[in-house]
Amino acid sequence: MPAPPPSRRRRRPLLRADAGGHEGIAAVIAAARERFPGFEFRLTGAVDGHHGIARLSWEPVSTADGSAPVAGSDVITLDGHGRIRSVLGFLDRVPAGT
């Protein structure tokens, strides 16, 4: 299926990142914490894994009132040594109007 024309595309990623190594992963985590001050990221279920692929769901929870306006899932691909090769992130819940 061809991509829709640019006028019909909508892209508003919460956090864009292209990182590698320990420093890169730490930078992505720091950027997420900066983007959501006053929130703690929590898993919302068990991590599933099979043949070098893992899936997990998460949400940032407000330390002030316990609200969790956003939720997402990540699919992580591991290399033959168990190191992260790639992370694909999906938003499962976003506030209305965003």
Side-chain angles (χ1 to χ4, degrees):
M1 174 182 282
S7 62
R8 293 173 48 200
R9 291 184 200 164
R10 185 168 177 212
R11 189 174 188 191
R12 290 189 179 175
L14 224 51
L15 180 66
R16 286 181 150 174
D18 185 10
H22 292 108
E23 295 82 15
I25 292 170
V28 169
I29 292 168
R33 288 182 175 160
E34 183 177 311
R35 175 87 164 97
F36 293 95
F39 285 79
E40 294 178 351
F41 282 80
R42 297 184 187 162
L43 290 174
T44 59
V47 176
D48 296 322
H50 187 63
H51 286 92
I53 298 174
R55 176 183 64 176
L56 59 96
S57 296
W58 50 265
E59 61 186 5
V61 179
S62 170
T63 56
D65 63 13
S67 66
V70 176
S73 299
D74 290 345
V75 176
I76 301 167
T77 304
L78 304 174
D79 69 12
H81 301 285
R83 294 179 296 219
I84 296 172
R85 177 183 294 159
S86 67
V87 179
L88 298 174
F90 299 88
L91 293 176
D92 301 325
R93 182 179 67 237
V94 295
T98 59

